[in-house]
Amino acid sequence: MESFDDILKEMDFNFFGTGEYGMSLEEAQRVLSNDHFIFLDIRTDEEVSQVCFPFAKHIPLNELPDRLNEVPKDKFIVTFCASVFRAAMAYAYLLTKGYDEVKGLTATTDQLAGILKPGPLYLTMK
């Protein structure tokens, strides 16, 4: 388990320049139906009541510490939210808890919903 200090120290120019922390919308679309990937929706209950992503595991960010046992360590976790900000917080938190395979989605939920139209969704199911 890394400390938050250690994680922050790793966030140098190369880290941000290579984008290793994030998953693009295109990458997400390719792995959407892959069982090794878990999309973790960390938006609030109120937000999810308006727009739901049935393929995702929903745990609001403020509940994540108490529900961490629901997030498997043997899967690749992709955090996402409406603004990307909370996804980044969940990303860093999971790293401090010993999760090795984790990225934050670099797209908003509006953009994510866009790939769930029949054409793009059909391509992920092939």
Side-chain angles (χ1 to χ4, degrees), residues 21-74:
Y21 57 90
M23 178 177 284
S24 71
L25 193 58
E26 294 76 21
E27 291 171 308
Q29 188 172 6
R30 285 194 297 272
V31 301
L32 200 55
S33 60
N34 184 324
D35 290 343
H36 184 63
F37 290 80
I38 304 269
F39 284 78
L40 183 60
D41 183 352
I42 47 93
R43 295 175 301 143
T44 64
D45 291 334
E46 293 83 1
E47 290 171 294
V48 171
S49 73
Q50 299 301 310
V51 177
C52 177
F53 295 96
F55 61 85
K57 172 76 175 163
H58 173 239
I59 302 176
L61 182 62
N62 66 310
E63 294 179 17
L64 190 54
D66 294 331
R67 296 178 58 190
L68 192 59
N69 63 327
E70 297 177 40
V71 183
K73 282 193 171 182
D74 63 342

Side-chain angles (χ1 to χ4, degrees), residues 83-124:
S83 67
V84 184
F85 177 77
R86 287 172 285 176
M89 293 176 68
Y91 160 82
Y93 178 75
L94 291 173
L95 288 177
T96 67
K97 296 302 179 181
Y99 287 78
D100 294 324
E101 293 184 295
V102 60
K103 288 190 178 192
L105 187 64
T106 58
T108 66
T109 51
D110 290 344
Q111 294 167 317
L112 182 58
I115 68 168
L116 299 178
K117 294 178 181 176
L121 186 58
Y122 174 77
L123 295 174
T124 66

